[in-house]
Amino acid sequence: MKVIIKPLEEYRLGLRQSSGIIIENVDVVSAFLSPTTILGIIGKLKNVSPLKKPGIDDLKDAYYSLTQNELKYVYHSDSPLTWGPLIRDEMDKKYYPLLFSKLILDVKKYIEYAINSFEGIITESIIRELRVQTRRMNQLNRSNRTTIHSFYQKFFSNEYALEYCVNIKENIKGVSMLGGENRYAEVCPENCECDYGEGDYAILLQPLLFETEETYFTKLSNVKGFQCVDEIYGVVVEKGNHMDFKVKTTYYALGYGNERRPMLRALPPGTVIKVKEECEDAKALGILSELGFGAIYRIRLQS
């Protein structure tokens, strides 16, 4: 089932815990909803509260309640619970997530550039920054209540809608809170097939979670979560007015349940990879791919 999530106001999805005084350059946010946020929306619309269990046990229970299957911790999924996002503008054109605050406008050209190690000028035909509104917030000093500190938070524009595929039988529809920031979005189902793309090359729509015991160098085959990854070409990195592709990793938190869930290493959205032939039906890769982490959009390139 395809689901369209349309933010009703400017919104903020934090990727880093907000504690103490925050300044703009450490306010790490995402414009794109994670699989755990989608699970929260489904729960709110079905009027179901998460179970108060430690670690990721609440996610395991949520997955079972929606699919009647146990979470098996496989490293790829042909039928993930959630898949996406694709991003729609007001003209219904579709774009693809890059890192956590940018859009890929021409996904085929983007992948071709990554594979051919292109370095050139960034243009509006390839990449676009999402509009961000920065707001000043005031907070009392904890040690001196007469002193007020200013800090800044970033909010994304609500001009785009987010398209996901949700693998559940019941329709979900209504208005729901968007994450934990007291923002709201309209959720509408669409009765049409999802477009997963096709081909051996792909971009990540969600962070691909992985684990490795090595500190610096290791083979892809030794990394838990990379079993279906044949090659990694990287994600675009800006160098002044030029761009280049580098393999980047980040730490990604699995959100909040009864307590803060763990953080795992991840390849960020927008990373270009080649998928192994034996995983030709996979729609999500890596740890917790059954939930939708590591969702991929495939592209077939002419040889």
Side-chain angles (χ1 to χ4, degrees):
M1 175 180 63
K2 187 180 292 186
V3 173
I4 308 302
I5 299 175
K6 180 69 175 75
L8 297 177
E9 53 190 329
E10 291 180 335
Y11 64 100
R12 178 183 182 276
L13 299 169
L15 293 178
R16 182 177 292 175
Q17 186 176 12
S18 298
S19 58
I21 305 302
I22 301 174
I23 59 176
E24 182 179 354
N25 64 351
V26 296
D27 187 21
V28 184
V29 291
S30 174
F32 314 118
L33 283 62
S34 74
T36 54
T37 304
I38 300 296
L39 275 177
I41 288 175
I42 294 172
K44 289 180 177 70
L45 293 177
K46 291 169 67 68
N47 198 26
V48 177
S49 299
L51 298 177
K52 295 183 177 181
K53 291 189 174 183
I56 65 168
D57 287 347
D58 58 336
L59 296 179
K60 292 163 61 177
D61 285 334
Y63 181 80
Y64 181 80
S65 68
L66 292 170
T67 66
Q68 302 305 305
N69 294 316
E70 299 286 346
L71 200 59
K72 298 178 181 178
Y73 301 102
V74 295
Y75 295 130
H76 74 276
S77 176
D78 299 345
S79 182
L81 179 60
T82 69
W83 179 91
L86 304 183
I87 300 94
R88 293 184 179 184
D89 65 11
E90 296 175 348
M91 303 298 293
D92 218 28
K93 292 182 179 178
K94 293 184 181 179
Y95 310 113
Y96 306 83
L98 171 59
L99 300 172
F100 300 101
S101 61
K102 300 177 183 178
L103 300 178
I104 299 170
L105 308 184
D106 187 332
V107 67
K108 187 174 181 180
K109 184 179 291 186
Y110 178 86
I111 291 178
E112 288 175 341
Y113 282 177
I115 294 170
N116 296 315
S117 300
F118 173 84
E119 184 174 346
I121 297 174
I122 296 177
T123 68
E124 281 288 312
S125 65
I126 303 172
I127 293 171
R128 177 186 301 163
E129 291 266 4
L130 283 165
R131 266 187 238 170
V132 176
Q133 174 69 38
T134 302
R135 297 179 185 172
R136 189 177 73 179
M137 315 289 283
N138 293 324
Q139 179 171 301
L140 287 172
N141 188 316
R142 293 177 180 177
S143 59
N144 184 352
R145 295 293 179 179
T146 61
T147 302
I148 296 178
H149 290 281
S150 295
F151 63 101
Y152 298 86
Q153 289 185 317
K154 295 178 179 179
F155 292 81
F156 289 101
S157 168
N158 63 334
E159 61 188 306
Y160 296 99
L162 305 169
E163 177 184 311
Y164 290 82
C165 295
V166 181
N167 192 20
I168 60 175
K169 295 180 180 179
E170 306 92 344
N171 277 347
I172 53 172
K173 183 178 181 180
V175 174
S176 171
M177 286 181 61
L178 197 60
E181 298 285 344
N182 294 322
R183 304 283 152 173
Y184 287 86
E186 182 181 13
V187 182
C188 298
E190 280 194 355
N191 188 22
C192 57
E193 295 294 323
C194 297
D195 176 19
Y196 301 104
E198 58 179 15
D200 297 332
Y201 295 96
I203 59 164
L204 295 179
L205 304 179
Q206 291 284 355
L208 192 161
L209 307 178
F210 68 90
E211 291 181 334
T212 178
E213 296 179 358
E214 302 294 333
T215 305
Y216 295 105
F217 304 103
T218 188
K219 294 181 179 180
L220 291 183
S221 58
N222 295 333
V223 179
K224 296 178 181 177
F226 285 1
Q227 280 76 357
C228 283
V229 178
D230 194 10
E231 295 184 61
I232 304 174
Y233 297 94
V235 66
V236 74
V237 177
E238 295 183 30
K239 294 181 177 180
N241 65 340
H242 286 70
M243 66 178 181
D244 195 8
F245 285 84
K246 301 290 184 182
V247 176
K248 297 189 66 174
T249 66
T250 185
Y251 282 96
Y252 193 83
L254 300 180
Y256 282 94
N258 184 43
E259 58 188 31
R260 173 176 279 278
R261 302 190 189 103
M263 296 183 71
L264 294 176
R265 296 282 292 278
L267 296 176
T271 299
V272 178
I273 62 172
K274 186 176 183 181
V275 184
K276 292 181 178 178
E277 290 184 9
E278 57 264 35
C279 303
E280 61 181 357
D281 294 325
K283 297 177 178 63
L285 311 177
I287 296 173
L288 296 180
S289 56
E290 294 158 289
L291 293 179
F293 286 102
I296 59 174
Y297 184 81
R298 292 176 177 265
I299 289 289
R300 186 180 304 280
L301 299 180
Q302 295 179 350
S303 56

